[in-house]
Amino acid sequence: MSKIQEHFLRYEFKYILDDDRRKKIEEELSHFMQLDPFVERFENRKYLVRSLYFDDPFYTFYYEKTDGLMHRQKFRIRTYSMEYDETIPIMLELKGRYNNFVYKHRTELKHDNESRHDVFELLESLDQGKPISKQFTYDRFRKRIKPIMLIDYQRRGFQSKYDYEFRITSDGELYGTQTTNLFPDNKVHRRALIDGFTIMEVKFRKHVPPWFHRIMIKYQLNRVSISKYCTGMESTALIENLDD
């Protein structure tokens, strides 16, 4: 992979598409957008994204999202493989919302075959001079956050030919796994999430181009508030048991 971008600040609009609408929209996107260079290396033009989400014993991150708080954040570890490899990037990310903006800060983790078995051992490589590392350490010991939900999906990314800050991603084949491990063994149960549908995310800094507005109208696209983490949590008994 190319050098890891550590900071993002942008709008993110989400839409849920059935397979037919996704194919038609992606065909129209080809006139204005090109595939993300990272996608081009894969035969099927999509790649795996794996995220291990943290939460506290009261699932505060989950409820802040479902309650619609405009100021919220959560930690996750992200990589791009289902099996460990010493060459793959593994990152700690802090993703949050401030009013209508989505922000993300991340830092790459050093890892080896031994550290992959324990998430907190993996996190020992954090550069404590970075704000994200200090925030994670605070949340770990004061809020008692721990890894709880693994989310996998296949992503196809598009980059505007005219505005490098306008991107669209199509995320499908979503699975959720209740685990504390970034690379769990095959015995864990993976649950299919929103099976047969794709989450399309529109990402931009300033504005949506007019040509995409026309696509929105043509295909009657309606924004939704959906979280892959929350959807994964709702596929288990974790939330139900806490409410009881």
Side-chain angles (χ1 to χ4, degrees), residues 120-157:
F120 288 113
E121 185 176 339
L122 179 66
L123 289 161
E124 287 180 2
S125 70
L126 278 173
D127 179 354
Q128 291 299 327
K130 293 186 176 182
I132 181 177
S133 303
K134 295 178 181 178
Q135 181 66 48
F136 178 82
T137 301
Y138 176 88
D139 282 9
R140 177 186 174 185
F141 292 105
R142 293 297 298 272
K143 298 183 180 180
R144 294 183 293 151
I145 64 171
K146 61 182 181 180
I148 193 169
M149 175 58 59
L150 186 69
I151 300 293
D152 292 323
Y153 54 88
Q154 294 290 329
R155 165 166 286 183
R156 179 177 288 116

mmCIF file of all heavy atoms in Angstrom, residues 120-157:
data_model
loop_
_atom_site.group_PDB
_atom_site.id
_atom_site.type_symbol
_atom_site.label_atom_id
_atom_site.label_comp_id
_atom_site.label_asym_id
_atom_site.label_seq_id
_atom_site.Cartn_x
_atom_site.Cartn_y
_atom_site.Cartn_z
ATOM 1 N N PHE A 120 -3.959 -6.107 22.786
ATOM 2 C CA PHE A 120 -3.278 -5.115 23.611
ATOM 3 C C PHE A 120 -1.759 -5.243 23.515
ATOM 4 O O PHE A 120 -1.036 -4.262 23.681
ATOM 5 C CB PHE A 120 -3.758 -5.214 25.054
ATOM 6 C CG PHE A 120 -5.167 -4.706 25.225
ATOM 7 C CD1 PHE A 120 -6.192 -5.580 25.559
ATOM 8 C CD2 PHE A 120 -5.472 -3.373 25.022
ATOM 9 C CE1 PHE A 120 -7.495 -5.125 25.700
ATOM 10 C CE2 PHE A 120 -6.767 -2.902 25.151
ATOM 11 C CZ PHE A 120 -7.782 -3.777 25.491
ATOM 12 N N GLU A 121 -1.274 -6.439 23.212
ATOM 13 C CA GLU A 121 0.156 -6.582 22.926
ATOM 14 C C GLU A 121 0.494 -5.875 21.622
ATOM 15 O O GLU A 121 1.530 -5.223 21.500
ATOM 16 C CB GLU A 121 0.536 -8.062 22.853
ATOM 17 C CG GLU A 121 2.033 -8.292 22.677
ATOM 18 C CD GLU A 121 2.404 -9.764 22.697
ATOM 19 O OE1 GLU A 121 1.607 -10.562 23.230
ATOM 20 O OE2 GLU A 121 3.486 -10.099 22.172
ATOM 21 N N LEU A 122 -0.400 -5.998 20.649
ATOM 22 C CA LEU A 122 -0.235 -5.301 19.370
ATOM 23 C C LEU A 122 -0.181 -3.790 19.587
ATOM 24 O O LEU A 122 0.606 -3.076 18.963
ATOM 25 C CB LEU A 122 -1.393 -5.666 18.444
ATOM 26 C CG LEU A 122 -1.440 -5.034 17.054
ATOM 27 C CD1 LEU A 122 -0.275 -5.528 16.208
ATOM 28 C CD2 LEU A 122 -2.761 -5.386 16.367
ATOM 29 N N LEU A 123 -1.006 -3.298 20.503
ATOM 30 C CA LEU A 123 -1.102 -1.869 20.757
ATOM 31 C C LEU A 123 0.059 -1.313 21.575
ATOM 32 O O LEU A 123 0.157 -0.097 21.763
ATOM 33 C CB LEU A 123 -2.423 -1.560 21.457
ATOM 34 C CG LEU A 123 -3.658 -1.695 20.555
ATOM 35 C CD1 LEU A 123 -4.923 -1.833 21.386
ATOM 36 C CD2 LEU A 123 -3.758 -0.521 19.602
ATOM 37 N N GLU A 124 0.926 -2.189 22.059
ATOM 38 C CA GLU A 124 2.105 -1.725 22.792
ATOM 39 C C GLU A 124 3.048 -0.928 21.898
ATOM 40 O O GLU A 124 3.896 -0.179 22.387
ATOM 41 C CB GLU A 124 2.838 -2.904 23.414
ATOM 42 C CG GLU A 124 2.115 -3.502 24.618
ATOM 43 C CD GLU A 124 2.868 -4.666 25.227
ATOM 44 O OE1 GLU A 124 3.970 -4.969 24.727
ATOM 45 O OE2 GLU A 124 2.361 -5.260 26.193
ATOM 46 N N SER A 125 2.904 -1.077 20.580
ATOM 47 C CA SER A 125 3.774 -0.341 19.658
ATOM 48 C C SER A 125 3.304 1.088 19.411
ATOM 49 O O SER A 125 3.912 1.822 18.635
ATOM 50 C CB SER A 125 3.849 -1.086 18.316
ATOM 51 O OG SER A 125 2.605 -1.014 17.619
ATOM 52 N N LEU A 126 2.224 1.515 20.075
ATOM 53 C CA LEU A 126 1.709 2.868 19.878
ATOM 54 C C LEU A 126 2.760 3.918 20.218
ATOM 55 O O LEU A 126 3.460 3.819 21.223
ATOM 56 C CB LEU A 126 0.475 3.103 20.752
ATOM 57 C CG LEU A 126 -0.870 2.595 20.229
ATOM 58 C CD1 LEU A 126 -1.939 2.771 21.301
ATOM 59 C CD2 LEU A 126 -1.267 3.332 18.962
ATOM 60 N N ASP A 127 2.823 4.922 19.375
ATOM 61 C CA ASP A 127 3.671 6.082 19.645
ATOM 62 C C ASP A 127 2.923 6.979 20.626
ATOM 63 O O ASP A 127 1.965 7.665 20.258
ATOM 64 C CB ASP A 127 3.956 6.822 18.333
ATOM 65 C CG ASP A 127 4.816 8.057 18.532
ATOM 66 O OD1 ASP A 127 5.101 8.410 19.696
ATOM 67 O OD2 ASP A 127 5.191 8.683 17.524
ATOM 68 N N GLN A 128 3.337 6.989 21.884
ATOM 69 C CA GLN A 128 2.620 7.717 22.920
ATOM 70 C C GLN A 128 2.737 9.228 22.781
ATOM 71 O O GLN A 128 2.097 9.975 23.519
ATOM 72 C CB GLN A 128 3.102 7.273 24.303
ATOM 73 C CG GLN A 128 2.701 5.850 24.658
ATOM 74 C CD GLN A 128 1.186 5.651 24.698
ATOM 75 O OE1 GLN A 128 0.437 6.554 25.047
ATOM 76 N NE2 GLN A 128 0.747 4.450 24.324
ATOM 77 N N GLY A 129 3.513 9.678 21.821
ATOM 78 C CA GLY A 129 3.599 11.117 21.583
ATOM 79 C C GLY A 129 2.454 11.645 20.736
ATOM 80 O O GLY A 129 2.288 12.861 20.613
ATOM 81 N N LYS A 130 1.653 10.732 20.158
ATOM 82 C CA LYS A 130 0.553 11.156 19.292
ATOM 83 C C LYS A 130 -0.741 11.288 20.100
ATOM 84 O O LYS A 130 -1.012 10.472 20.987
ATOM 85 C CB LYS A 130 0.353 10.144 18.163
ATOM 86 C CG LYS A 130 1.516 10.091 17.180
ATOM 87 C CD LYS A 130 1.214 9.180 16.007
ATOM 88 C CE LYS A 130 2.333 9.222 14.985
ATOM 89 N NZ LYS A 130 2.042 8.367 13.805
ATOM 90 N N PRO A 131 -1.562 12.296 19.790
ATOM 91 C CA PRO A 131 -2.828 12.493 20.517
ATOM 92 C C PRO A 131 -3.735 11.267 20.496
ATOM 93 O O PRO A 131 -4.391 10.961 21.492
ATOM 94 C CB PRO A 131 -3.461 13.687 19.797
ATOM 95 C CG PRO A 131 -2.315 14.441 19.225
ATOM 96 C CD PRO A 131 -1.309 13.392 18.820
ATOM 97 N N ILE A 132 -3.798 10.558 19.363
ATOM 98 C CA ILE A 132 -4.685 9.387 19.280
ATOM 99 C C ILE A 132 -4.229 8.307 20.266
ATOM 100 O O ILE A 132 -5.062 7.625 20.874
ATOM 101 C CB ILE A 132 -4.731 8.825 17.835
ATOM 102 C CG1 ILE A 132 -5.682 7.632 17.767
ATOM 103 C CG2 ILE A 132 -3.361 8.442 17.328
ATOM 104 C CD1 ILE A 132 -5.853 7.062 16.369
ATOM 105 N N SER A 133 -2.922 8.172 20.461
ATOM 106 C CA SER A 133 -2.404 7.175 21.395
ATOM 107 C C SER A 133 -2.759 7.545 22.829
ATOM 108 O O SER A 133 -3.159 6.690 23.626
ATOM 109 C CB SER A 133 -0.889 7.058 21.248
ATOM 110 O OG SER A 133 -0.533 6.741 19.916
ATOM 111 N N LYS A 134 -2.636 8.825 23.162
ATOM 112 C CA LYS A 134 -2.977 9.285 24.512
ATOM 113 C C LYS A 134 -4.466 9.104 24.789
ATOM 114 O O LYS A 134 -4.861 8.686 25.874
ATOM 115 C CB LYS A 134 -2.581 10.747 24.675
ATOM 116 C CG LYS A 134 -1.079 10.983 24.598
ATOM 117 C CD LYS A 134 -0.748 12.458 24.712
ATOM 118 C CE LYS A 134 0.753 12.690 24.612
ATOM 119 N NZ LYS A 134 1.100 14.130 24.679
ATOM 120 N N GLN A 135 -5.309 9.404 23.770
ATOM 121 C CA GLN A 135 -6.756 9.246 23.944
ATOM 122 C C GLN A 135 -7.124 7.784 24.123
ATOM 123 O O GLN A 135 -7.965 7.433 24.963
ATOM 124 C CB GLN A 135 -7.498 9.823 22.738
ATOM 125 C CG GLN A 135 -9.017 9.732 22.825
ATOM 126 C CD GLN A 135 -9.588 10.599 23.929
ATOM 127 O OE1 GLN A 135 -9.226 11.762 24.049
ATOM 128 N NE2 GLN A 135 -10.464 10.037 24.752
ATOM 129 N N PHE A 136 -6.492 6.901 23.345
ATOM 130 C CA PHE A 136 -6.785 5.478 23.483
ATOM 131 C C PHE A 136 -6.378 4.964 24.862
ATOM 132 O O PHE A 136 -7.129 4.217 25.502
ATOM 133 C CB PHE A 136 -6.079 4.663 22.397
ATOM 134 C CG PHE A 136 -6.320 3.184 22.535
ATOM 135 C CD1 PHE A 136 -7.477 2.611 22.055
ATOM 136 C CD2 PHE A 136 -5.396 2.376 23.199
ATOM 137 C CE1 PHE A 136 -7.723 1.252 22.218
ATOM 138 C CE2 PHE A 136 -5.633 1.023 23.358
ATOM 139 C CZ PHE A 136 -6.801 0.469 22.867
ATOM 140 N N THR A 137 -5.197 5.344 25.319
ATOM 141 C CA THR A 137 -4.731 4.900 26.630
ATOM 142 C C THR A 137 -5.678 5.374 27.727
ATOM 143 O O THR A 137 -6.009 4.622 28.658
ATOM 144 C CB THR A 137 -3.298 5.412 26.896
ATOM 145 O OG1 THR A 137 -2.433 4.908 25.870
ATOM 146 C CG2 THR A 137 -2.794 4.938 28.253
ATOM 147 N N TYR A 138 -6.145 6.611 27.620
ATOM 148 C CA TYR A 138 -7.110 7.139 28.594
ATOM 149 C C TYR A 138 -8.395 6.305 28.577
ATOM 150 O O TYR A 138 -8.892 5.881 29.630
ATOM 151 C CB TYR A 138 -7.423 8.596 28.278
ATOM 152 C CG TYR A 138 -8.482 9.194 29.175
ATOM 153 C CD1 TYR A 138 -8.139 9.780 30.390
ATOM 154 C CD2 TYR A 138 -9.825 9.167 28.809
ATOM 155 C CE1 TYR A 138 -9.114 10.325 31.224
ATOM 156 C CE2 TYR A 138 -10.808 9.704 29.635
ATOM 157 C CZ TYR A 138 -10.441 10.284 30.839
ATOM 158 O OH TYR A 138 -11.405 10.811 31.660
ATOM 159 N N ASP A 139 -8.949 6.073 27.370
ATOM 160 C CA ASP A 139 -10.200 5.322 27.267
ATOM 161 C C ASP A 139 -10.035 3.878 27.723
ATOM 162 O O ASP A 139 -10.960 3.291 28.296
ATOM 163 C CB ASP A 139 -10.722 5.355 25.829
ATOM 164 C CG ASP A 139 -11.392 6.671 25.482
ATOM 165 O OD1 ASP A 139 -11.304 7.612 26.293
ATOM 166 O OD2 ASP A 139 -12.008 6.763 24.417
ATOM 167 N N ARG A 140 -8.869 3.325 27.477
ATOM 168 C CA ARG A 140 -8.648 1.930 27.872
ATOM 169 C C ARG A 140 -8.713 1.770 29.388
ATOM 170 O O ARG A 140 -9.359 0.840 29.896
ATOM 171 C CB ARG A 140 -7.294 1.445 27.349
ATOM 172 C CG ARG A 140 -6.990 0.022 27.798
ATOM 173 C CD ARG A 140 -5.591 -0.413 27.397
ATOM 174 N NE ARG A 140 -5.282 -1.726 27.953
ATOM 175 C CZ ARG A 140 -4.101 -2.327 27.860
ATOM 176 N NH1 ARG A 140 -3.104 -1.720 27.231
ATOM 177 N NH2 ARG A 140 -3.913 -3.519 28.394
ATOM 178 N N PHE A 141 -8.079 2.668 30.115
ATOM 179 C CA PHE A 141 -7.991 2.488 31.572
ATOM 180 C C PHE A 141 -9.116 3.196 32.326
ATOM 181 O O PHE A 141 -9.549 2.697 33.372
ATOM 182 C CB PHE A 141 -6.620 2.961 32.064
ATOM 183 C CG PHE A 141 -5.494 2.077 31.595
ATOM 184 C CD1 PHE A 141 -4.641 2.485 30.588
ATOM 185 C CD2 PHE A 141 -5.313 0.821 32.143
ATOM 186 C CE1 PHE A 141 -3.619 1.668 30.145
ATOM 187 C CE2 PHE A 141 -4.287 -0.011 31.709
ATOM 188 C CZ PHE A 141 -3.432 0.411 30.704
ATOM 189 N N ARG A 142 -9.607 4.328 31.837
ATOM 190 C CA ARG A 142 -10.662 5.037 32.548
ATOM 191 C C ARG A 142 -12.058 4.560 32.135
ATOM 192 O O ARG A 142 -12.963 4.448 32.965
ATOM 193 C CB ARG A 142 -10.545 6.546 32.313
ATOM 194 C CG ARG A 142 -9.305 7.169 32.936
ATOM 195 C CD ARG A 142 -9.307 7.031 34.457
ATOM 196 N NE ARG A 142 -10.432 7.729 35.067
ATOM 197 C CZ ARG A 142 -10.422 8.997 35.439
ATOM 198 N NH1 ARG A 142 -9.324 9.726 35.269
ATOM 199 N NH2 ARG A 142 -11.481 9.551 35.981
ATOM 200 N N LYS A 143 -12.229 4.270 30.854
ATOM 201 C CA LYS A 143 -13.536 3.817 30.367
ATOM 202 C C LYS A 143 -13.613 2.306 30.193
ATOM 203 O O LYS A 143 -14.678 1.758 29.905
ATOM 204 C CB LYS A 143 -13.869 4.505 29.034
ATOM 205 C CG LYS A 143 -13.975 6.019 29.139
ATOM 206 C CD LYS A 143 -14.374 6.625 27.808
ATOM 207 C CE LYS A 143 -14.492 8.136 27.896
ATOM 208 N NZ LYS A 143 -14.880 8.735 26.589
ATOM 209 N N ARG A 144 -12.457 1.644 30.311
ATOM 210 C CA ARG A 144 -12.374 0.178 30.219
ATOM 211 C C ARG A 144 -12.855 -0.356 28.862
ATOM 212 O O ARG A 144 -13.558 -1.343 28.782
ATOM 213 C CB ARG A 144 -13.155 -0.478 31.361
ATOM 214 C CG ARG A 144 -12.561 -0.208 32.739
ATOM 215 C CD ARG A 144 -13.324 -0.937 33.821
ATOM 216 N NE ARG A 144 -14.680 -0.397 33.971
ATOM 217 C CZ ARG A 144 -15.726 -1.096 34.379
ATOM 218 N NH1 ARG A 144 -15.608 -2.387 34.650
ATOM 219 N NH2 ARG A 144 -16.907 -0.527 34.501
ATOM 220 N N ILE A 145 -12.461 0.344 27.803
ATOM 221 C CA ILE A 145 -12.838 -0.145 26.477
ATOM 222 C C ILE A 145 -12.034 -1.393 26.145
ATOM 223 O O ILE A 145 -10.899 -1.568 26.592
ATOM 224 C CB ILE A 145 -12.644 0.927 25.385
ATOM 225 C CG1 ILE A 145 -11.155 1.305 25.233
ATOM 226 C CG2 ILE A 145 -13.492 2.157 25.680
ATOM 227 C CD1 ILE A 145 -10.883 2.189 24.029
ATOM 228 N N LYS A 146 -12.634 -2.259 25.341
ATOM 229 C CA LYS A 146 -11.983 -3.493 24.916
ATOM 230 C C LYS A 146 -12.543 -3.896 23.554
ATOM 231 O O LYS A 146 -13.641 -3.462 23.166
ATOM 232 C CB LYS A 146 -12.224 -4.606 25.922
ATOM 233 C CG LYS A 146 -13.680 -4.972 26.110
ATOM 234 C CD LYS A 146 -13.845 -6.066 27.164
ATOM 235 C CE LYS A 146 -15.320 -6.444 27.325
ATOM 236 N NZ LYS A 146 -15.504 -7.512 28.340
ATOM 237 N N PRO A 147 -11.833 -4.717 22.795
ATOM 238 C CA PRO A 147 -12.342 -5.158 21.485
ATOM 239 C C PRO A 147 -13.565 -6.045 21.662
ATOM 240 O O PRO A 147 -13.612 -6.873 22.575
ATOM 241 C CB PRO A 147 -11.166 -5.921 20.878
ATOM 242 C CG PRO A 147 -10.344 -6.353 22.050
ATOM 243 C CD PRO A 147 -10.502 -5.281 23.077
ATOM 244 N N ILE A 148 -14.551 -5.865 20.760
ATOM 245 C CA ILE A 148 -15.815 -6.573 20.970
ATOM 246 C C ILE A 148 -16.482 -7.064 19.684
ATOM 247 O O ILE A 148 -17.170 -8.076 19.699
ATOM 248 C CB ILE A 148 -16.791 -5.653 21.746
ATOM 249 C CG1 ILE A 148 -17.991 -6.443 22.256
ATOM 250 C CG2 ILE A 148 -17.231 -4.468 20.903
ATOM 251 C CD1 ILE A 148 -18.839 -5.655 23.229
ATOM 252 N N MET A 149 -16.285 -6.374 18.569
ATOM 253 C CA MET A 149 -17.009 -6.738 17.349
ATOM 254 C C MET A 149 -16.108 -6.577 16.130
ATOM 255 O O MET A 149 -15.508 -5.518 15.909
ATOM 256 C CB MET A 149 -18.244 -5.844 17.193
ATOM 257 C CG MET A 149 -19.026 -6.031 15.898
ATOM 258 S SD MET A 149 -19.643 -7.718 15.603
ATOM 259 C CE MET A 149 -20.660 -7.957 17.073
ATOM 260 N N LEU A 150 -16.011 -7.650 15.337
ATOM 261 C CA LEU A 150 -15.208 -7.655 14.112
ATOM 262 C C LEU A 150 -16.146 -7.525 12.914
ATOM 263 O O LEU A 150 -17.108 -8.290 12.782
ATOM 264 C CB LEU A 150 -14.418 -8.960 14.017
ATOM 265 C CG LEU A 150 -13.406 -9.074 12.874
ATOM 266 C CD1 LEU A 150 -12.228 -8.123 13.106
ATOM 267 C CD2 LEU A 150 -12.908 -10.507 12.749
ATOM 268 N N ILE A 151 -15.870 -6.561 12.056
ATOM 269 C CA ILE A 151 -16.679 -6.330 10.860
ATOM 270 C C ILE A 151 -15.814 -6.528 9.622
ATOM 271 O O ILE A 151 -14.735 -5.932 9.499
ATOM 272 C CB ILE A 151 -17.269 -4.903 10.847
ATOM 273 C CG1 ILE A 151 -18.172 -4.679 12.067
ATOM 274 C CG2 ILE A 151 -18.036 -4.655 9.546
ATOM 275 C CD1 ILE A 151 -19.443 -5.511 12.068
ATOM 276 N N ASP A 152 -16.279 -7.367 8.689
ATOM 277 C CA ASP A 152 -15.604 -7.599 7.408
ATOM 278 C C ASP A 152 -16.527 -7.194 6.269
ATOM 279 O O ASP A 152 -17.753 -7.407 6.342
ATOM 280 C CB ASP A 152 -15.261 -9.083 7.226
ATOM 281 C CG ASP A 152 -14.201 -9.570 8.198
ATOM 282 O OD1 ASP A 152 -13.275 -8.805 8.492
ATOM 283 O OD2 ASP A 152 -14.313 -10.729 8.660
ATOM 284 N N TYR A 153 -15.963 -6.637 5.218
ATOM 285 C CA TYR A 153 -16.748 -6.389 4.006
ATOM 286 C C TYR A 153 -15.810 -6.209 2.816
ATOM 287 O O TYR A 153 -14.601 -6.004 2.978
ATOM 288 C CB TYR A 153 -17.659 -5.160 4.161
ATOM 289 C CG TYR A 153 -16.971 -3.888 4.590
ATOM 290 C CD1 TYR A 153 -16.418 -3.004 3.669
ATOM 291 C CD2 TYR A 153 -16.885 -3.561 5.939
ATOM 292 C CE1 TYR A 153 -15.804 -1.834 4.074
ATOM 293 C CE2 TYR A 153 -16.275 -2.399 6.359
ATOM 294 C CZ TYR A 153 -15.737 -1.535 5.420
ATOM 295 O OH TYR A 153 -15.107 -0.374 5.833
ATOM 296 N N GLN A 154 -16.392 -6.298 1.636
ATOM 297 C CA GLN A 154 -15.667 -6.101 0.392
ATOM 298 C C GLN A 154 -15.960 -4.695 -0.127
ATOM 299 O O GLN A 154 -17.114 -4.298 -0.243
ATOM 300 C CB GLN A 154 -16.087 -7.137 -0.652
ATOM 301 C CG GLN A 154 -15.716 -8.563 -0.304
ATOM 302 C CD GLN A 154 -14.216 -8.813 -0.382
ATOM 303 O OE1 GLN A 154 -13.514 -8.203 -1.182
ATOM 304 N NE2 GLN A 154 -13.722 -9.713 0.460
ATOM 305 N N ARG A 155 -14.894 -3.948 -0.433
ATOM 306 C CA ARG A 155 -15.042 -2.549 -0.842
ATOM 307 C C ARG A 155 -14.560 -2.334 -2.267
ATOM 308 O O ARG A 155 -13.519 -2.855 -2.681
ATOM 309 C CB ARG A 155 -14.274 -1.643 0.110
ATOM 310 C CG ARG A 155 -14.049 -0.215 -0.395
ATOM 311 C CD ARG A 155 -13.583 0.717 0.708
ATOM 312 N NE ARG A 155 -14.703 1.033 1.601
ATOM 313 C CZ ARG A 155 -14.600 1.873 2.631
ATOM 314 N NH1 ARG A 155 -13.437 2.453 2.906
ATOM 315 N NH2 ARG A 155 -15.649 2.121 3.390
ATOM 316 N N ARG A 156 -15.335 -1.558 -3.007
ATOM 317 C CA ARG A 156 -14.910 -1.048 -4.317
ATOM 318 C C ARG A 156 -14.922 0.477 -4.232
ATOM 319 O O ARG A 156 -15.950 1.078 -3.904
ATOM 320 C CB ARG A 156 -15.844 -1.533 -5.430
ATOM 321 C CG ARG A 156 -15.456 -1.008 -6.821
ATOM 322 C CD ARG A 156 -16.355 -1.563 -7.911
ATOM 323 N NE ARG A 156 -16.076 -2.970 -8.165
ATOM 324 C CZ ARG A 156 -16.941 -3.957 -7.955
ATOM 325 N NH1 ARG A 156 -18.145 -3.702 -7.479
ATOM 326 N NH2 ARG A 156 -16.613 -5.198 -8.225
ATOM 327 N N GLY A 157 -13.768 1.100 -4.468
ATOM 328 C CA GLY A 157 -13.652 2.548 -4.310
ATOM 329 C C GLY A 157 -13.545 3.266 -5.639
ATOM 330 O O GLY A 157 -12.937 2.765 -6.590
#
